[in-house]
Amino acid sequence: MLDACAELVDEVGYEGLTTTLLAERAGVAIGSVYQFFPDKRAIVQALTLRNMEAYLERLASSWADGSSTDWWDGVDAAIDEYIAMHRSVPGFRTLHFGDVVDVHLLDEERDNNAVIAGRVAQVLVEQFGVAETQRLRFALEIAVEAADALIKLAFRRDLDGDDTVLGEAKALIREYLHRHVDA
């Protein structure tokens, strides 16, 4: 059902998504949809959580290969994976990490980008020994917001992502974080 949801979101958008369309695409009875999900928001939330886990798994894999030697390499990989998911994961370009549906889809207390920034901070601390500080968390929240906005712009300008905008986004984030992160 989540795969069908991802396909439909790309085709008709979140507003056009219905549980009836989902049931038809997934080849299940409408009752089966409601057995697992009370409404379309819950379906999209499950898809968003799956995407976030996939994103974090992809990051872990890219960092495990040893090619990331310092914290910036880790941040660079995080941006690259986000771009790659926009290009290759059904539904991701439309939903991102759920902000289209609800900015608190991943966590009732924090907005979606703050959740992502927190997870990236956790990995930078564990993987690269970056000092865990309020300054780090704040800087990553700003960086995630900026990167998210610029990546969305790149994909509005070009369906595959405008490489010039993506390059500028990475340069901007690199410069900002170099000034604000203690490594």
Side-chain angles (χ1 to χ4, degrees), residues 151-173:
I151 291 168
K152 286 175 185 173
L153 171 64
F155 281 90
R156 283 194 314 268
R157 291 180 70 155
D158 182 320
L159 286 178
D160 198 39
D162 182 314
D163 285 329
T164 303
V165 174
L166 294 172
E168 289 297 314
K170 288 174 79 173
L172 183 139
I173 299 308

PDB file of all heavy atoms in Angstrom, residues 151-173:
ATOM      1  N   ILE A 151      16.975  23.067  -2.450  1.00  0.00           N
ATOM      2  CA  ILE A 151      16.784  21.832  -3.213  1.00  0.00           C
ATOM      3  C   ILE A 151      15.397  21.811  -3.852  1.00  0.00           C
ATOM      4  O   ILE A 151      15.240  21.417  -5.012  1.00  0.00           O
ATOM      5  CB  ILE A 151      17.054  20.597  -2.333  1.00  0.00           C
ATOM      6  CG1 ILE A 151      18.556  20.537  -2.011  1.00  0.00           C
ATOM      7  CG2 ILE A 151      16.577  19.312  -3.019  1.00  0.00           C
ATOM      8  CD1 ILE A 151      18.936  19.551  -0.930  1.00  0.00           C
ATOM      9  N   LYS A 152      14.396  22.272  -3.116  1.00  0.00           N
ATOM     10  CA  LYS A 152      13.050  22.383  -3.708  1.00  0.00           C
ATOM     11  C   LYS A 152      13.071  23.329  -4.912  1.00  0.00           C
ATOM     12  O   LYS A 152      12.460  23.044  -5.943  1.00  0.00           O
ATOM     13  CB  LYS A 152      12.043  22.860  -2.665  1.00  0.00           C
ATOM     14  CG  LYS A 152      11.687  21.798  -1.656  1.00  0.00           C
ATOM     15  CD  LYS A 152      10.777  22.365  -0.581  1.00  0.00           C
ATOM     16  CE  LYS A 152      10.510  21.347   0.511  1.00  0.00           C
ATOM     17  NZ  LYS A 152       9.771  21.936   1.645  1.00  0.00           N
ATOM     18  N   LEU A 153      13.775  24.444  -4.784  1.00  0.00           N
ATOM     19  CA  LEU A 153      13.906  25.382  -5.899  1.00  0.00           C
ATOM     20  C   LEU A 153      14.557  24.693  -7.100  1.00  0.00           C
ATOM     21  O   LEU A 153      14.084  24.834  -8.235  1.00  0.00           O
ATOM     22  CB  LEU A 153      14.737  26.604  -5.485  1.00  0.00           C
ATOM     23  CG  LEU A 153      15.128  27.565  -6.612  1.00  0.00           C
ATOM     24  CD1 LEU A 153      13.883  28.214  -7.225  1.00  0.00           C
ATOM     25  CD2 LEU A 153      16.105  28.616  -6.094  1.00  0.00           C
ATOM     26  N   ALA A 154      15.615  23.954  -6.868  1.00  0.00           N
ATOM     27  CA  ALA A 154      16.313  23.265  -7.955  1.00  0.00           C
ATOM     28  C   ALA A 154      15.383  22.305  -8.694  1.00  0.00           C
ATOM     29  O   ALA A 154      15.434  22.212  -9.923  1.00  0.00           O
ATOM     30  CB  ALA A 154      17.524  22.512  -7.406  1.00  0.00           C
ATOM     31  N   PHE A 155      14.505  21.618  -7.955  1.00  0.00           N
ATOM     32  CA  PHE A 155      13.601  20.665  -8.594  1.00  0.00           C
ATOM     33  C   PHE A 155      12.364  21.337  -9.196  1.00  0.00           C
ATOM     34  O   PHE A 155      11.715  20.753 -10.051  1.00  0.00           O
ATOM     35  CB  PHE A 155      13.232  19.533  -7.628  1.00  0.00           C
ATOM     36  CG  PHE A 155      14.333  18.521  -7.529  1.00  0.00           C
ATOM     37  CD1 PHE A 155      15.341  18.654  -6.586  1.00  0.00           C
ATOM     38  CD2 PHE A 155      14.388  17.454  -8.404  1.00  0.00           C
ATOM     39  CE1 PHE A 155      16.375  17.738  -6.508  1.00  0.00           C
ATOM     40  CE2 PHE A 155      15.416  16.525  -8.345  1.00  0.00           C
ATOM     41  CZ  PHE A 155      16.414  16.665  -7.391  1.00  0.00           C
ATOM     42  N   ARG A 156      12.068  22.551  -8.780  1.00  0.00           N
ATOM     43  CA  ARG A 156      11.017  23.312  -9.477  1.00  0.00           C
ATOM     44  C   ARG A 156      11.545  23.831 -10.810  1.00  0.00           C
ATOM     45  O   ARG A 156      10.808  23.903 -11.782  1.00  0.00           O
ATOM     46  CB  ARG A 156      10.539  24.489  -8.623  1.00  0.00           C
ATOM     47  CG  ARG A 156       9.600  24.100  -7.506  1.00  0.00           C
ATOM     48  CD  ARG A 156       8.868  25.288  -6.898  1.00  0.00           C
ATOM     49  NE  ARG A 156       9.695  26.440  -6.593  1.00  0.00           N
ATOM     50  CZ  ARG A 156      10.283  26.660  -5.412  1.00  0.00           C
ATOM     51  NH1 ARG A 156      10.152  25.800  -4.430  1.00  0.00           N
ATOM     52  NH2 ARG A 156      11.004  27.751  -5.219  1.00  0.00           N
ATOM     53  N   ARG A 157      12.818  24.188 -10.845  1.00  0.00           N
ATOM     54  CA  ARG A 157      13.419  24.732 -12.072  1.00  0.00           C
ATOM     55  C   ARG A 157      13.698  23.657 -13.120  1.00  0.00           C
ATOM     56  O   ARG A 157      13.704  23.935 -14.307  1.00  0.00           O
ATOM     57  CB  ARG A 157      14.722  25.449 -11.727  1.00  0.00           C
ATOM     58  CG  ARG A 157      14.469  26.732 -10.934  1.00  0.00           C
ATOM     59  CD  ARG A 157      15.748  27.397 -10.609  1.00  0.00           C
ATOM     60  NE  ARG A 157      16.323  27.947 -11.848  1.00  0.00           N
ATOM     61  CZ  ARG A 157      17.155  28.956 -11.895  1.00  0.00           C
ATOM     62  NH1 ARG A 157      17.523  29.541 -10.782  1.00  0.00           N
ATOM     63  NH2 ARG A 157      17.620  29.384 -13.032  1.00  0.00           N
ATOM     64  N   ASP A 158      13.973  22.438 -12.650  1.00  0.00           N
ATOM     65  CA  ASP A 158      14.326  21.339 -13.558  1.00  0.00           C
ATOM     66  C   ASP A 158      13.841  20.041 -12.897  1.00  0.00           C
ATOM     67  O   ASP A 158      14.145  19.809 -11.724  1.00  0.00           O
ATOM     68  CB  ASP A 158      15.841  21.322 -13.745  1.00  0.00           C
ATOM     69  CG  ASP A 158      16.331  20.252 -14.708  1.00  0.00           C
ATOM     70  OD1 ASP A 158      15.806  19.120 -14.679  1.00  0.00           O
ATOM     71  OD2 ASP A 158      17.261  20.535 -15.467  1.00  0.00           O
ATOM     72  N   LEU A 159      13.133  19.212 -13.630  1.00  0.00           N
ATOM     73  CA  LEU A 159      12.591  17.979 -13.057  1.00  0.00           C
ATOM     74  C   LEU A 159      13.657  17.064 -12.478  1.00  0.00           C
ATOM     75  O   LEU A 159      13.383  16.289 -11.563  1.00  0.00           O
ATOM     76  CB  LEU A 159      11.770  17.214 -14.104  1.00  0.00           C
ATOM     77  CG  LEU A 159      10.414  17.813 -14.433  1.00  0.00           C
ATOM     78  CD1 LEU A 159       9.725  17.000 -15.520  1.00  0.00           C
ATOM     79  CD2 LEU A 159       9.545  17.898 -13.191  1.00  0.00           C
ATOM     80  N   ASP A 160      14.880  17.138 -12.990  1.00  0.00           N
ATOM     81  CA  ASP A 160      15.959  16.310 -12.462  1.00  0.00           C
ATOM     82  C   ASP A 160      16.819  17.086 -11.466  1.00  0.00           C
ATOM     83  O   ASP A 160      17.821  16.584 -10.985  1.00  0.00           O
ATOM     84  CB  ASP A 160      16.823  15.774 -13.609  1.00  0.00           C
ATOM     85  CG  ASP A 160      17.675  14.593 -13.175  1.00  0.00           C
ATOM     86  OD1 ASP A 160      17.179  13.739 -12.399  1.00  0.00           O
ATOM     87  OD2 ASP A 160      18.847  14.538 -13.593  1.00  0.00           O
ATOM     88  N   GLY A 161      16.450  18.314 -11.177  1.00  0.00           N
ATOM     89  CA  GLY A 161      17.212  19.146 -10.253  1.00  0.00           C
ATOM     90  C   GLY A 161      18.232  19.984 -10.994  1.00  0.00           C
ATOM     91  O   GLY A 161      19.117  19.444 -11.644  1.00  0.00           O
ATOM     92  N   ASP A 162      18.091  21.279 -10.921  1.00  0.00           N
ATOM     93  CA  ASP A 162      19.015  22.206 -11.584  1.00  0.00           C
ATOM     94  C   ASP A 162      20.380  22.103 -10.899  1.00  0.00           C
ATOM     95  O   ASP A 162      20.541  22.488  -9.737  1.00  0.00           O
ATOM     96  CB  ASP A 162      18.449  23.617 -11.469  1.00  0.00           C
ATOM     97  CG  ASP A 162      19.284  24.657 -12.166  1.00  0.00           C
ATOM     98  OD1 ASP A 162      20.523  24.650 -11.996  1.00  0.00           O
ATOM     99  OD2 ASP A 162      18.707  25.498 -12.874  1.00  0.00           O
ATOM    100  N   ASP A 163      21.370  21.568 -11.621  1.00  0.00           N
ATOM    101  CA  ASP A 163      22.690  21.336 -11.037  1.00  0.00           C
ATOM    102  C   ASP A 163      23.366  22.620 -10.555  1.00  0.00           C
ATOM    103  O   ASP A 163      24.115  22.591  -9.573  1.00  0.00           O
ATOM    104  CB  ASP A 163      23.597  20.608 -12.031  1.00  0.00           C
ATOM    105  CG  ASP A 163      23.232  19.134 -12.165  1.00  0.00           C
ATOM    106  OD1 ASP A 163      22.745  18.544 -11.175  1.00  0.00           O
ATOM    107  OD2 ASP A 163      23.428  18.576 -13.254  1.00  0.00           O
ATOM    108  N   THR A 164      23.099  23.726 -11.208  1.00  0.00           N
ATOM    109  CA  THR A 164      23.693  24.997 -10.775  1.00  0.00           C
ATOM    110  C   THR A 164      23.154  25.390  -9.404  1.00  0.00           C
ATOM    111  O   THR A 164      23.917  25.759  -8.505  1.00  0.00           O
ATOM    112  CB  THR A 164      23.423  26.106 -11.811  1.00  0.00           C
ATOM    113  OG1 THR A 164      23.938  25.683 -13.073  1.00  0.00           O
ATOM    114  CG2 THR A 164      24.067  27.414 -11.397  1.00  0.00           C
ATOM    115  N   VAL A 165      21.843  25.286  -9.233  1.00  0.00           N
ATOM    116  CA  VAL A 165      21.232  25.614  -7.937  1.00  0.00           C
ATOM    117  C   VAL A 165      21.707  24.624  -6.871  1.00  0.00           C
ATOM    118  O   VAL A 165      22.026  25.019  -5.743  1.00  0.00           O
ATOM    119  CB  VAL A 165      19.690  25.637  -8.030  1.00  0.00           C
ATOM    120  CG1 VAL A 165      19.062  25.831  -6.653  1.00  0.00           C
ATOM    121  CG2 VAL A 165      19.232  26.727  -8.984  1.00  0.00           C
ATOM    122  N   LEU A 166      21.765  23.345  -7.211  1.00  0.00           N
ATOM    123  CA  LEU A 166      22.217  22.339  -6.248  1.00  0.00           C
ATOM    124  C   LEU A 166      23.659  22.596  -5.823  1.00  0.00           C
ATOM    125  O   LEU A 166      23.992  22.480  -4.634  1.00  0.00           O
ATOM    126  CB  LEU A 166      22.058  20.932  -6.832  1.00  0.00           C
ATOM    127  CG  LEU A 166      20.618  20.488  -7.080  1.00  0.00           C
ATOM    128  CD1 LEU A 166      20.586  19.175  -7.841  1.00  0.00           C
ATOM    129  CD2 LEU A 166      19.837  20.392  -5.779  1.00  0.00           C
ATOM    130  N   GLY A 167      24.502  22.971  -6.762  1.00  0.00           N
ATOM    131  CA  GLY A 167      25.887  23.301  -6.427  1.00  0.00           C
ATOM    132  C   GLY A 167      25.983  24.498  -5.499  1.00  0.00           C
ATOM    133  O   GLY A 167      26.771  24.501  -4.542  1.00  0.00           O
ATOM    134  N   GLU A 168      25.172  25.516  -5.777  1.00  0.00           N
ATOM    135  CA  GLU A 168      25.159  26.699  -4.915  1.00  0.00           C
ATOM    136  C   GLU A 168      24.623  26.365  -3.525  1.00  0.00           C
ATOM    137  O   GLU A 168      25.111  26.891  -2.516  1.00  0.00           O
ATOM    138  CB  GLU A 168      24.320  27.816  -5.549  1.00  0.00           C
ATOM    139  CG  GLU A 168      24.970  28.438  -6.768  1.00  0.00           C
ATOM    140  CD  GLU A 168      26.291  29.119  -6.447  1.00  0.00           C
ATOM    141  OE1 GLU A 168      26.375  29.874  -5.459  1.00  0.00           O
ATOM    142  OE2 GLU A 168      27.261  28.882  -7.199  1.00  0.00           O
ATOM    143  N   ALA A 169      23.646  25.495  -3.470  1.00  0.00           N
ATOM    144  CA  ALA A 169      23.091  25.078  -2.169  1.00  0.00           C
ATOM    145  C   ALA A 169      24.174  24.406  -1.328  1.00  0.00           C
ATOM    146  O   ALA A 169      24.344  24.726  -0.138  1.00  0.00           O
ATOM    147  CB  ALA A 169      21.916  24.135  -2.376  1.00  0.00           C
ATOM    148  N   LYS A 170      24.923  23.505  -1.941  1.00  0.00           N
ATOM    149  CA  LYS A 170      25.981  22.818  -1.205  1.00  0.00           C
ATOM    150  C   LYS A 170      27.069  23.796  -0.766  1.00  0.00           C
ATOM    151  O   LYS A 170      27.555  23.721   0.370  1.00  0.00           O
ATOM    152  CB  LYS A 170      26.563  21.693  -2.059  1.00  0.00           C
ATOM    153  CG  LYS A 170      25.614  20.527  -2.191  1.00  0.00           C
ATOM    154  CD  LYS A 170      26.114  19.468  -3.139  1.00  0.00           C
ATOM    155  CE  LYS A 170      27.139  18.616  -2.487  1.00  0.00           C
ATOM    156  NZ  LYS A 170      27.529  17.463  -3.320  1.00  0.00           N
ATOM    157  N   ALA A 171      27.423  24.733  -1.620  1.00  0.00           N
ATOM    158  CA  ALA A 171      28.449  25.721  -1.265  1.00  0.00           C
ATOM    159  C   ALA A 171      27.974  26.596  -0.110  1.00  0.00           C
ATOM    160  O   ALA A 171      28.742  26.879   0.822  1.00  0.00           O
ATOM    161  CB  ALA A 171      28.790  26.578  -2.489  1.00  0.00           C
ATOM    162  N   LEU A 172      26.735  27.023  -0.166  1.00  0.00           N
ATOM    163  CA  LEU A 172      26.177  27.861   0.890  1.00  0.00           C
ATOM    164  C   LEU A 172      26.173  27.119   2.227  1.00  0.00           C
ATOM    165  O   LEU A 172      26.591  27.667   3.251  1.00  0.00           O
ATOM    166  CB  LEU A 172      24.747  28.277   0.519  1.00  0.00           C
ATOM    167  CG  LEU A 172      24.049  29.201   1.482  1.00  0.00           C
ATOM    168  CD1 LEU A 172      23.274  30.249   0.703  1.00  0.00           C
ATOM    169  CD2 LEU A 172      23.106  28.439   2.373  1.00  0.00           C
ATOM    170  N   ILE A 173      25.727  25.874   2.225  1.00  0.00           N
ATOM    171  CA  ILE A 173      25.670  25.092   3.457  1.00  0.00           C
ATOM    172  C   ILE A 173      27.075  24.829   3.990  1.00  0.00           C
ATOM    173  O   ILE A 173      27.326  24.935   5.191  1.00  0.00           O
ATOM    174  CB  ILE A 173      24.901  23.762   3.227  1.00  0.00           C
ATOM    175  CG1 ILE A 173      23.459  24.042   2.791  1.00  0.00           C
ATOM    176  CG2 ILE A 173      24.952  22.880   4.469  1.00  0.00           C
ATOM    177  CD1 ILE A 173      22.683  24.979   3.682  1.00  0.00           C
TER     178      ILE A 173
END
